[in-house]
Amino acid sequence: MKALVWHGKQDIRYDTVPDPEIEEPRDAIIKVTSCAICGSDLHLFHNYIPAMKPGDIVGHEMMGEVVETGSAVNNLRKGERVVIPFTINCDECDQCRRGNYSLCERSNRNKPLADKVFGHTTAGLFGYTHLTGGYAGGQAEYLRVPFADATHIKVPDSMTDEQALFLGDIFPTGWQAAVQCDIQRTDTVAIWGAGPVGQMAIRSAILLGAKQVIVIDRLPERLSMGAAAGAIPINFEDESVVERLNELTDNKGPDKCIDCVGLEAHASGHIDSMMDRVKQATMMESDRPHVLREMIYVCRGGGVLSIPGVYGGLVDKIPFGMAMNKGLTFRMGQTHVRRWTGDLTRRIDEGQIDPSFVITHTADLKEGPGMYRVFEQKQDSCIKVVLKP
Amino acid sequence: MNPTSTLSTSRPDRSLTTTDRVARGLGWFSIGLGLVEIIAPGRLGRALGLEGRERLLQAYGGREIGAGVWALSDTPAPAIWARVGGDLLDLATLAVGLRDADSEQKRNAIIALAAVAGITVVDLLTAASLTAETSERKGETGRDYSDRSGFPQGAASARGAAEGITPVDFQVTATPERAVAALEPAE
Ligand SMILES: NC(=O)c1ccc[n+]([C@@H]2O[C@H](COP(=O)([O-])OP(=O)(O)OC[C@H]3O[C@@H](n4cnc5c(N)ncnc54)[C@H](O)[C@@H]3O)[C@@H](O)[C@H]2O)c1
Ligand SMILES: [Zn+2]
Ligand SMILES: [Zn+2]
């Protein structure tokens, strides 16, 4: 089959690879009908996440039709349409039973390695590093789904691929980011990053009833999409983020702050972000935590920092004393996708929200590598790319 | 909207362009040359008629390594432009050395001048093409997406539609109501 394959930094190719096969009784094979490029894929593209190997098939936002099931899979029929969550979960371990699907204790087949590097393993993820199992990804014609009887979301026939696809990652990611803020009617929620995850977090914060939602980025098209839902835009290249946030909150600071940027925060001319760039290039630090620092500084005392943005390793100069003294709560993690998708599927079905608003580009899978560059460089006002195998 | 027309690669099925590969080659070359300048400035100086300028050669070595490491990052264009500047500096320095060189050194310096001139052309072409290919957004002004609320029934009716659903394990805000409840004596 054809698939997008990681060969090294900024080197992804449309290659021919062996077809996936059923390996375990709980496996299924799906024929991918739509997949997308995620901001997390860019971190892999830039080789900031350790333990990728040349030859790895990438992609973790995908959906399709069941073509084959293992002997232990009784709840999927051939031809059924499913979205596959990017976090693989067994549904049986202690973490899964608590709803902590992204911490499933059984789905990471490289558990010994992960135990060493993270202290304790996290769940297996599709199309990601070998630290999370090194499972082949879904930017491909076919995908093997381990623990398929638990790792799937059924899609109503009435829903298009475009409406359903993001149930596998960015919609529940933006949703969990907002839910873990425990939003109150009186809250101002500030969201850094108006990429696809930020866009979903904005909509989620509005649905969850925030008084005021503010979005911070530098790309006018992304800010315009945020404003379309009712968020107040701040362009960090034109204005001071801290000053504007204090102005908009009677000098109290936002109650809840969400980092939808992650480890590749843009060097915005601040000394700290320039130092981070130098350190990252010379491998003295793996991540650029400018957004984290800004959130800790500006957040109201007792507030919540919600961090869906991905970090890979070590960060430098985090004002932890400030965070401690202000009594901030940090909530973070890869998304427990299936914990939220029942509710979210219903909300899409009822017309409360339609996540397809975020798609700006659709292309053939063959053009995927070029689309990585378009998305990376934000060319042609690109926000979200959907690929068709 | 035709995304294929804006692809930054000449082959849409590969993300790395020939220019990217050349830029990485220049990066490694820079690091190699920089190491030589730092480790053996004396021999280099004698060969090129730059005796007594060892410190300068070592500084140039530092510059080469800096540009090299940067050229291997995910944003190589500025590094290659920096190399173009460095090349001009090298040419000027070699030309100065030519003034008071003996005949052997003159020959070496002329060979070096020719080599640096050649590299300068490669650097210039690579830098220009990197900038043209991968400069963010190619000078576009962002499109206006203000018609994409994502709320089919309107943004106003979406506000608060999912209010109060925070699961218990996600309730982390101190509110006056919660505080009162917590302070009430148990029955
Ligand atoms: N936790 C999860 O399970 C999960 C799931 C999906 C994605 N993610 C992560 O979420 C993050 C965002 O993903 P995305 O798809 O939206 O990516 P994206 O790259 O499209 O968006 C990032 C946005 O942040 C903006 N930005 C950069 N520096 C900034 C700064 N200093 N201040 C404010 N904004 C800044 C960029 O301009 C860009 O618009 C990534 O780190 C991704 O890995 C996490
Ligand atoms: Zn993702
Ligand atoms: Zn589990």
Side-chain angles (χ1 to χ4, degrees), chain B residues 54-107:
Chain B
E54 285 76 14
R55 285 252 175 265
L56 183 69
L57 284 175
Q58 280 181 324
Y60 283 8
R63 186 200 79 210
E64 290 283 357
I65 290 175
V69 170
W70 193 351
L72 297 176
S73 80
D74 51 68
T75 47
I80 307 297
W81 281 116
R83 274 190 47 83
V84 172
D87 291 338
L88 298 179
L89 212 57
D90 287 349
L91 287 172
T93 311
L94 284 166
V96 169
L98 209 51
R99 250 189 354 212
D100 33 39
D102 61 32
S103 64
E104 159 102 24
Q105 288 172 330
K106 257 200 181 102
R107 214 193 56 208

Short mmCIF file of all heavy atoms in Angstrom, two decimals, chain B residues 54-107:
data_model
loop_
_atom_site.label_atom_id
_atom_site.label_comp_id
_atom_site.label_asym_id
_atom_site.label_seq_id
_atom_site.Cartn_x
_atom_site.Cartn_y
_atom_site.Cartn_z
N GLU B 54 46.16 34.44 13.77
CA GLU B 54 45.56 33.19 14.25
C GLU B 54 44.27 33.43 15.03
O GLU B 54 43.29 32.72 14.86
CB GLU B 54 46.56 32.42 15.13
CG GLU B 54 47.67 31.73 14.36
CD GLU B 54 48.75 32.70 13.88
OE1 GLU B 54 48.77 33.85 14.38
OE2 GLU B 54 49.55 32.32 13.00
N ARG B 55 44.29 34.46 15.88
CA ARG B 55 43.08 34.75 16.67
C ARG B 55 41.89 35.02 15.76
O ARG B 55 40.78 34.55 16.00
CB ARG B 55 43.32 35.97 17.57
CG ARG B 55 44.17 35.67 18.76
CD ARG B 55 43.30 35.68 20.04
NE ARG B 55 44.10 35.28 21.20
CZ ARG B 55 44.16 34.04 21.66
NH1 ARG B 55 43.45 33.08 21.10
NH2 ARG B 55 44.91 33.75 22.70
N LEU B 56 42.16 35.79 14.70
CA LEU B 56 41.10 36.13 13.75
C LEU B 56 40.56 34.85 13.10
O LEU B 56 39.35 34.64 13.01
CB LEU B 56 41.65 37.07 12.67
CG LEU B 56 40.63 37.57 11.64
CD1 LEU B 56 39.65 38.54 12.32
CD2 LEU B 56 41.33 38.26 10.47
N LEU B 57 41.51 33.97 12.68
CA LEU B 57 41.09 32.72 12.04
C LEU B 57 40.23 31.89 12.99
O LEU B 57 39.23 31.31 12.58
CB LEU B 57 42.30 31.91 11.60
CG LEU B 57 43.00 32.43 10.33
CD1 LEU B 57 44.26 31.62 10.05
CD2 LEU B 57 42.06 32.38 9.12
N GLN B 58 40.60 31.88 14.27
CA GLN B 58 39.80 31.11 15.24
C GLN B 58 38.42 31.71 15.41
O GLN B 58 37.42 30.98 15.52
CB GLN B 58 40.53 31.03 16.58
CG GLN B 58 41.62 29.97 16.55
CD GLN B 58 42.35 29.85 17.88
OE1 GLN B 58 42.56 30.85 18.56
NE2 GLN B 58 42.74 28.64 18.22
N ALA B 59 38.36 33.03 15.42
CA ALA B 59 37.05 33.68 15.52
C ALA B 59 36.19 33.30 14.31
O ALA B 59 35.00 33.00 14.43
CB ALA B 59 37.21 35.19 15.61
N TYR B 60 36.84 33.30 13.13
CA TYR B 60 36.11 32.89 11.92
C TYR B 60 35.61 31.46 12.06
O TYR B 60 34.53 31.11 11.62
CB TYR B 60 37.00 33.00 10.68
CG TYR B 60 37.20 34.41 10.17
CD1 TYR B 60 36.73 35.51 10.90
CD2 TYR B 60 37.84 34.66 8.96
CE1 TYR B 60 36.92 36.80 10.45
CE2 TYR B 60 38.03 35.95 8.49
CZ TYR B 60 37.57 37.02 9.23
OH TYR B 60 37.75 38.29 8.78
N GLY B 61 36.43 30.62 12.70
CA GLY B 61 36.04 29.23 12.93
C GLY B 61 34.77 29.15 13.77
O GLY B 61 33.85 28.40 13.46
N GLY B 62 34.73 29.98 14.82
CA GLY B 62 33.52 30.03 15.66
C GLY B 62 32.30 30.43 14.84
O GLY B 62 31.22 29.85 14.95
N ARG B 63 32.53 31.42 13.99
CA ARG B 63 31.44 31.89 13.13
C ARG B 63 30.95 30.76 12.22
O ARG B 63 29.75 30.52 12.08
CB ARG B 63 31.98 33.05 12.27
CG ARG B 63 30.97 33.75 11.41
CD ARG B 63 31.67 34.51 10.27
NE ARG B 63 32.05 33.61 9.20
CZ ARG B 63 33.11 33.81 8.41
NH1 ARG B 63 33.92 34.84 8.60
NH2 ARG B 63 33.37 32.96 7.44
N GLU B 64 31.89 30.04 11.61
CA GLU B 64 31.52 28.93 10.71
C GLU B 64 30.70 27.87 11.45
O GLU B 64 29.70 27.39 10.93
CB GLU B 64 32.77 28.26 10.14
CG GLU B 64 33.56 29.09 9.14
CD GLU B 64 32.92 29.14 7.75
OE1 GLU B 64 31.88 28.46 7.54
OE2 GLU B 64 33.45 29.86 6.89
N ILE B 65 31.13 27.53 12.66
CA ILE B 65 30.42 26.48 13.39
C ILE B 65 29.01 26.94 13.75
O ILE B 65 28.03 26.21 13.59
CB ILE B 65 31.21 26.05 14.64
CG1 ILE B 65 32.47 25.29 14.19
CG2 ILE B 65 30.38 25.17 15.56
CD1 ILE B 65 33.41 24.90 15.30
N GLY B 66 28.90 28.20 14.18
CA GLY B 66 27.58 28.75 14.51
C GLY B 66 26.64 28.67 13.30
O GLY B 66 25.51 28.17 13.39
N ALA B 67 27.13 29.14 12.15
CA ALA B 67 26.31 29.12 10.94
C ALA B 67 25.98 27.68 10.55
O ALA B 67 24.87 27.38 10.11
CB ALA B 67 27.03 29.83 9.80
N GLY B 68 26.96 26.78 10.75
CA GLY B 68 26.75 25.38 10.38
C GLY B 68 25.64 24.73 11.20
O GLY B 68 24.74 24.10 10.65
N VAL B 69 25.71 24.91 12.52
CA VAL B 69 24.70 24.31 13.39
C VAL B 69 23.32 24.87 13.04
O VAL B 69 22.33 24.14 12.93
CB VAL B 69 25.03 24.58 14.89
CG1 VAL B 69 23.87 24.19 15.78
CG2 VAL B 69 26.29 23.82 15.28
N TRP B 70 23.26 26.17 12.81
CA TRP B 70 21.99 26.80 12.47
C TRP B 70 21.47 26.26 11.12
O TRP B 70 20.28 26.00 10.95
CB TRP B 70 22.18 28.32 12.44
CG TRP B 70 20.90 29.09 12.39
CD1 TRP B 70 19.63 28.60 12.20
CD2 TRP B 70 20.76 30.50 12.55
NE1 TRP B 70 18.73 29.64 12.23
CE2 TRP B 70 19.39 30.81 12.44
CE3 TRP B 70 21.68 31.55 12.78
CZ2 TRP B 70 18.91 32.11 12.54
CZ3 TRP B 70 21.19 32.85 12.87
CH2 TRP B 70 19.82 33.12 12.75
N ALA B 71 22.40 26.06 10.17
CA ALA B 71 21.98 25.58 8.84
C ALA B 71 21.38 24.18 8.93
O ALA B 71 20.62 23.77 8.05
CB ALA B 71 23.16 25.57 7.88
N LEU B 72 21.70 23.43 9.98
CA LEU B 72 21.13 22.09 10.14
C LEU B 72 19.80 22.11 10.89
O LEU B 72 19.17 21.08 11.07
CB LEU B 72 22.12 21.19 10.89
CG LEU B 72 23.46 20.93 10.17
CD1 LEU B 72 24.39 20.11 11.05
CD2 LEU B 72 23.23 20.21 8.84
N SER B 73 19.36 23.29 11.33
CA SER B 73 18.10 23.38 12.07
C SER B 73 16.92 23.37 11.10
O SER B 73 17.11 23.24 9.88
CB SER B 73 18.07 24.67 12.90
OG SER B 73 17.73 25.76 12.06
N ASP B 74 15.70 23.55 11.62
CA ASP B 74 14.56 23.54 10.69
C ASP B 74 14.31 24.89 10.03
O ASP B 74 13.40 25.04 9.24
CB ASP B 74 13.29 23.01 11.39
CG ASP B 74 13.02 23.71 12.70
OD1 ASP B 74 12.69 24.89 12.67
OD2 ASP B 74 13.14 23.07 13.76
N THR B 75 15.12 25.90 10.34
CA THR B 75 15.01 27.19 9.65
C THR B 75 16.39 27.62 9.15
O THR B 75 17.00 28.52 9.72
CB THR B 75 14.47 28.28 10.60
OG1 THR B 75 15.21 28.19 11.83
CG2 THR B 75 12.99 28.10 10.90
N PRO B 76 16.87 26.97 8.06
CA PRO B 76 18.25 27.20 7.64
C PRO B 76 18.49 28.52 6.88
O PRO B 76 19.63 28.97 6.81
CB PRO B 76 18.54 26.01 6.72
CG PRO B 76 17.21 25.60 6.19
CD PRO B 76 16.20 25.93 7.26
N ALA B 77 17.44 29.13 6.34
CA ALA B 77 17.66 30.26 5.43
C ALA B 77 18.55 31.37 6.03
O ALA B 77 19.53 31.78 5.39
CB ALA B 77 16.33 30.82 4.94
N PRO B 78 18.24 31.84 7.25
CA PRO B 78 19.08 32.92 7.79
C PRO B 78 20.55 32.50 7.92
O PRO B 78 21.45 33.33 7.73
CB PRO B 78 18.48 33.19 9.18
CG PRO B 78 17.13 32.58 9.16
CD PRO B 78 17.17 31.47 8.19
N ALA B 79 20.77 31.21 8.23
CA ALA B 79 22.14 30.74 8.40
C ALA B 79 22.90 30.79 7.08
O ALA B 79 24.08 31.13 7.03
CB ALA B 79 22.14 29.31 8.95
N ILE B 80 22.22 30.45 5.99
CA ILE B 80 22.91 30.47 4.69
C ILE B 80 23.18 31.92 4.27
O ILE B 80 24.23 32.24 3.71
CB ILE B 80 22.11 29.70 3.62
CG1 ILE B 80 21.76 28.28 4.11
CG2 ILE B 80 22.90 29.61 2.32
CD1 ILE B 80 22.95 27.38 4.39
N TRP B 81 22.23 32.80 4.58
CA TRP B 81 22.51 34.24 4.31
C TRP B 81 23.69 34.69 5.15
O TRP B 81 24.54 35.45 4.67
CB TRP B 81 21.27 35.09 4.62
CG TRP B 81 20.24 35.05 3.51
CD1 TRP B 81 18.98 34.55 3.60
CD2 TRP B 81 20.40 35.51 2.16
NE1 TRP B 81 18.34 34.65 2.38
CE2 TRP B 81 19.18 35.25 1.48
CE3 TRP B 81 21.45 36.11 1.45
CZ2 TRP B 81 18.98 35.57 0.13
CZ3 TRP B 81 21.24 36.43 0.10
CH2 TRP B 81 20.02 36.16 -0.54
N ALA B 82 23.77 34.24 6.38
CA ALA B 82 24.91 34.60 7.23
C ALA B 82 26.20 34.07 6.61
O ALA B 82 27.24 34.73 6.65
CB ALA B 82 24.73 34.04 8.64
N ARG B 83 26.11 32.90 6.00
CA ARG B 83 27.30 32.34 5.34
C ARG B 83 27.74 33.22 4.18
O ARG B 83 28.93 33.39 3.95
CB ARG B 83 27.02 30.91 4.85
CG ARG B 83 27.26 29.83 5.92
CD ARG B 83 27.21 28.43 5.31
NE ARG B 83 28.00 28.33 4.08
CZ ARG B 83 29.31 28.11 4.06
NH1 ARG B 83 29.97 27.92 5.17
NH2 ARG B 83 29.96 28.06 2.91
N VAL B 84 26.76 33.77 3.44
CA VAL B 84 27.11 34.66 2.32
C VAL B 84 27.94 35.83 2.85
O VAL B 84 29.00 36.17 2.30
CB VAL B 84 25.85 35.18 1.60
CG1 VAL B 84 26.21 36.24 0.58
CG2 VAL B 84 25.10 34.02 0.93
N GLY B 85 27.48 36.41 3.96
CA GLY B 85 28.23 37.51 4.59
C GLY B 85 29.62 37.06 5.00
O GLY B 85 30.62 37.74 4.74
N GLY B 86 29.68 35.85 5.60
CA GLY B 86 30.96 35.30 6.04
C GLY B 86 31.90 35.08 4.87
O GLY B 86 33.11 35.36 4.96
N ASP B 87 31.35 34.62 3.74
CA ASP B 87 32.16 34.40 2.54
C ASP B 87 32.84 35.70 2.12
O ASP B 87 34.03 35.73 1.78
CB ASP B 87 31.28 33.90 1.38
CG ASP B 87 30.75 32.48 1.62
OD1 ASP B 87 31.37 31.75 2.41
OD2 ASP B 87 29.71 32.13 1.01
N LEU B 88 32.07 36.80 2.13
CA LEU B 88 32.63 38.09 1.69
C LEU B 88 33.77 38.51 2.62
O LEU B 88 34.81 38.99 2.16
CB LEU B 88 31.53 39.16 1.67
CG LEU B 88 30.39 38.86 0.67
CD1 LEU B 88 29.33 39.95 0.71
CD2 LEU B 88 30.93 38.68 -0.75
N LEU B 89 33.58 38.27 3.91
CA LEU B 89 34.61 38.57 4.89
C LEU B 89 35.87 37.74 4.59
O LEU B 89 36.99 38.25 4.61
CB LEU B 89 34.06 38.23 6.28
CG LEU B 89 34.53 39.06 7.45
CD1 LEU B 89 34.22 40.53 7.21
CD2 LEU B 89 33.81 38.59 8.72
N ASP B 90 35.65 36.44 4.30
CA ASP B 90 36.77 35.55 3.98
C ASP B 90 37.52 36.05 2.76
O ASP B 90 38.76 36.08 2.73
CB ASP B 90 36.26 34.12 3.71
CG ASP B 90 35.82 33.42 4.99
OD1 ASP B 90 36.11 33.95 6.07
OD2 ASP B 90 35.20 32.35 4.88
N LEU B 91 36.78 36.45 1.73
CA LEU B 91 37.41 36.93 0.49
C LEU B 91 38.28 38.15 0.80
O LEU B 91 39.43 38.24 0.35
CB LEU B 91 36.34 37.30 -0.56
CG LEU B 91 35.61 36.09 -1.21
CD1 LEU B 91 34.45 36.56 -2.07
CD2 LEU B 91 36.59 35.27 -2.05
N ALA B 92 37.72 39.08 1.59
CA ALA B 92 38.47 40.29 1.92
C ALA B 92 39.74 39.94 2.69
O ALA B 92 40.83 40.46 2.40
CB ALA B 92 37.59 41.22 2.75
N THR B 93 39.61 39.01 3.66
CA THR B 93 40.76 38.64 4.47
C THR B 93 41.84 37.99 3.62
O THR B 93 43.03 38.29 3.76
CB THR B 93 40.31 37.67 5.58
OG1 THR B 93 39.16 38.22 6.23
CG2 THR B 93 41.41 37.44 6.60
N LEU B 94 41.42 37.10 2.70
CA LEU B 94 42.39 36.43 1.83
C LEU B 94 43.10 37.45 0.95
O LEU B 94 44.31 37.36 0.71
CB LEU B 94 41.69 35.38 0.96
CG LEU B 94 41.31 34.08 1.68
CD1 LEU B 94 40.34 33.26 0.84
CD2 LEU B 94 42.57 33.25 2.00
N ALA B 95 42.34 38.44 0.47
CA ALA B 95 42.91 39.47 -0.39
C ALA B 95 43.98 40.27 0.38
O ALA B 95 45.04 40.59 -0.16
CB ALA B 95 41.81 40.40 -0.91
N VAL B 96 43.70 40.54 1.65
CA VAL B 96 44.69 41.25 2.48
C VAL B 96 45.95 40.41 2.60
O VAL B 96 47.07 40.91 2.45
CB VAL B 96 44.10 41.55 3.88
CG1 VAL B 96 45.19 42.05 4.82
CG2 VAL B 96 42.99 42.59 3.77
N GLY B 97 45.76 39.09 2.85
CA GLY B 97 46.89 38.19 3.00
C GLY B 97 47.74 38.15 1.74
O GLY B 97 48.98 38.04 1.79
N LEU B 98 47.11 38.29 0.60
CA LEU B 98 47.78 38.23 -0.70
C LEU B 98 48.87 39.32 -0.81
O LEU B 98 49.92 39.11 -1.41
CB LEU B 98 46.72 38.44 -1.80
CG LEU B 98 46.93 37.79 -3.17
CD1 LEU B 98 47.24 36.31 -3.02
CD2 LEU B 98 45.67 37.97 -4.02
N ARG B 99 48.59 40.49 -0.17
CA ARG B 99 49.49 41.64 -0.26
C ARG B 99 50.91 41.29 0.17
O ARG B 99 51.86 41.50 -0.55
CB ARG B 99 48.96 42.77 0.62
CG ARG B 99 48.41 43.94 -0.17
CD ARG B 99 48.11 45.08 0.78
NE ARG B 99 48.30 44.69 2.18
CZ ARG B 99 47.59 45.18 3.18
NH1 ARG B 99 46.65 46.07 2.94
NH2 ARG B 99 47.82 44.79 4.42
N ASP B 100 51.03 40.72 1.40
CA ASP B 100 52.39 40.47 1.88
C ASP B 100 52.71 38.97 1.95
O ASP B 100 53.21 38.48 2.94
CB ASP B 100 52.63 41.15 3.23
CG ASP B 100 51.38 41.21 4.08
OD1 ASP B 100 50.62 40.21 4.06
OD2 ASP B 100 51.14 42.23 4.73
N ALA B 101 52.32 38.22 0.89
CA ALA B 101 52.60 36.79 0.86
C ALA B 101 53.80 36.49 -0.02
O ALA B 101 54.09 37.26 -0.96
CB ALA B 101 51.38 36.06 0.31
N ASP B 102 54.52 35.38 0.30
CA ASP B 102 55.57 34.95 -0.64
C ASP B 102 54.92 34.18 -1.79
O ASP B 102 53.70 33.99 -1.80
CB ASP B 102 56.63 34.11 0.08
CG ASP B 102 56.05 32.84 0.69
OD1 ASP B 102 55.09 32.29 0.09
OD2 ASP B 102 56.53 32.41 1.76
N SER B 103 55.71 33.71 -2.75
CA SER B 103 55.10 33.19 -3.98
C SER B 103 54.28 31.92 -3.72
O SER B 103 53.18 31.76 -4.26
CB SER B 103 56.18 32.89 -5.01
OG SER B 103 57.02 31.87 -4.51
N GLU B 104 54.82 31.04 -2.85
CA GLU B 104 54.09 29.81 -2.50
C GLU B 104 52.74 30.16 -1.86
O GLU B 104 51.69 29.65 -2.22
CB GLU B 104 54.95 29.00 -1.50
CG GLU B 104 54.17 28.01 -0.68
CD GLU B 104 54.33 26.59 -1.19
OE1 GLU B 104 55.35 26.32 -1.84
OE2 GLU B 104 53.43 25.77 -0.94
N GLN B 105 52.80 31.09 -0.88
CA GLN B 105 51.57 31.50 -0.19
C GLN B 105 50.61 32.15 -1.17
O GLN B 105 49.40 31.98 -1.10
CB GLN B 105 51.90 32.49 0.93
CG GLN B 105 52.59 31.82 2.12
CD GLN B 105 53.07 32.85 3.12
OE1 GLN B 105 53.41 33.98 2.75
NE2 GLN B 105 53.12 32.46 4.39
N LYS B 106 51.19 32.92 -2.13
CA LYS B 106 50.33 33.58 -3.13
C LYS B 106 49.53 32.54 -3.88
O LYS B 106 48.33 32.70 -4.10
CB LYS B 106 51.21 34.37 -4.11
CG LYS B 106 51.19 35.84 -3.81
CD LYS B 106 51.60 36.69 -4.98
CE LYS B 106 51.56 38.13 -4.53
NZ LYS B 106 52.87 38.71 -4.22
N ARG B 107 50.26 31.47 -4.31
CA ARG B 107 49.57 30.43 -5.07
C ARG B 107 48.42 29.83 -4.24
O ARG B 107 47.29 29.74 -4.69
CB ARG B 107 50.55 29.33 -5.47
CG ARG B 107 50.24 28.72 -6.82
CD ARG B 107 51.01 27.46 -7.04
NE ARG B 107 50.74 26.51 -5.97
CZ ARG B 107 51.60 25.58 -5.57
NH1 ARG B 107 52.79 25.47 -6.15
NH2 ARG B 107 51.28 24.75 -4.60
#
